[in-house]
Amino acid sequence: MGYVRRTRDEAVPKALGSAGVGFLAAMVAAQVASGVRAEPVRLTSAVVLSLAASAVAFLAARCGLRRAGGAFLAVATAGYAAEWVGVRTGVPFGEYSYTSVLKPQVGGVPVVVAVAWGGMGLAAHAVATVLAPKRRGWRWALGAVALTAWDLFLDPQMLRLGLWTWADGGTYRGVPLSNFAGWLLVSFLIMVLIDVVVGPRFPGVSRGLVALYAVMAAMETLAFAVVFEPRDVVVAAAGGVSMGTFAALAWRRAWRR
């Protein structure tokens, strides 16, 4: 009976890891398809849902579905709350608003936006865990920067698609610097939340989540450099160097373990 139980215990994480790989592949396929479609926004939800499902599956393989799901819901809720406050007050990101393109929306915030916070929040936390496994303060800070690095791609891309607008524009491809300050603040709180939900005995590094972050960095860099029209080498370089540095360092350390 002990052998059977041990075999089952080993089978579940493997199955969850395989599911994570499958969802990651689905995300890549949706990203590629969105790059060649005349209306790429139609696949935005598919990309984000695949991203989130992959992140939850990879984390669940390490700490169980209950804690992984709890961490995702906590991050998604925090992200939604920040967006809900943001569109009403301009705090902490600056004055902006969502258009009606992304649906469904609750309180003027697309649901898929909260889902995106959840998925990439888990991935950025995994990257930070690799880089600072025993120092919580450093892990939270690095995770905040790693997640904010993603927005160097995200905001310019979503502005192109007409998904939201900034009241007064900004210095970085129409995005105000206040947005990135807000991202750092919210992302830091998200890193803390993940640690609290998952527990003090964090289950170690999820290589799948590190891979998810690295794949996103590579695909966004490629998209802005050679796929999107018009191309934008500034965004490709800024996001590619920022996310790429985190991805490369985390990838190297994760596979050394």
Side-chain angles (χ1 to χ4, degrees):
M1 288 296 293
Y3 173 77
V4 172
R5 182 177 300 173
R6 187 165 57 251
T7 301
R8 289 176 179 174
D9 290 343
E10 293 172 352
V12 172
K14 288 182 179 179
L16 289 167
S18 296
V21 172
F23 286 124
L24 176 56
M27 185 196 78
V28 172
Q31 284 269 43
V32 171
S34 70
V36 299
R37 284 180 64 109
E39 298 182 32
V41 72
R42 292 181 177 271
L43 288 169
T44 298
S45 293
V47 171
V48 173
L49 290 174
S50 299
L51 159 69
S54 179
V56 172
F58 282 135
L59 183 56
R62 301 293 302 182
C63 66
L65 190 56
R66 182 177 179 181
R67 285 197 289 172
F72 170 80
L73 288 175
V75 174
T77 300
Y80 173 82
E83 300 283 353
W84 189 90
V85 172
V87 297
R88 284 162 175 76
T89 68
V91 178
F93 307 109
E95 293 187 20
Y96 71 108
S97 60
Y98 286 96
T99 66
S100 60
V101 176
L102 283 179
K103 298 178 180 179
Q105 296 188 5
V106 178
V109 178
V111 173
V112 73
V113 170
V115 176
W117 275 104
M120 281 304 292
L122 297 182
H125 184 274
V127 167
T129 300
V130 175
L131 299 178
K134 297 180 180 180
R135 302 177 68 181
R136 290 189 301 173
W138 276 105
R139 181 162 68 242
W140 299 340
L142 288 171
V145 178
L147 184 53
T148 301
W150 179 48
D151 196 50
L152 293 172
F153 287 124
L154 183 65
D155 242 283
Q157 184 177 355
M158 297 303 106
L159 284 174
R160 285 179 174 220
L161 296 176
L163 303 186
W164 59 71
T165 59
W166 289 96
D168 300 313
T171 56
Y172 176 72
R173 292 303 190 252
V175 183
L177 297 181
S178 61
N179 170 66
F180 301 107
W183 265 74
L184 284 169
L185 173 62
V186 175
S187 298
F188 187 88
L189 295 175
I190 281 173
M191 297 304 121
V192 175
L193 268 178
I194 295 173
D195 267 7
V196 169
V197 174
V198 173
R201 295 182 180 178
F202 199 82
V205 175
S206 169
R207 292 176 175 175
L209 281 170
V210 173
L212 175 58
Y213 187 93
V215 167
M216 180 63 75
M219 293 199 68
E220 292 281 15
T221 302
L222 182 64
F224 274 98
V226 301
V227 176
F228 293 157
E229 292 294 343
R231 299 171 186 174
D232 194 327
V233 294
V234 171
V235 174
V241 170
S242 300
M243 281 193 80
T245 299
F246 277 106
L249 291 174
W251 184 279
R252 182 181 180 184
R253 293 195 183 185
W255 264 260
R256 275 183 170 183
R257 293 173 180 270

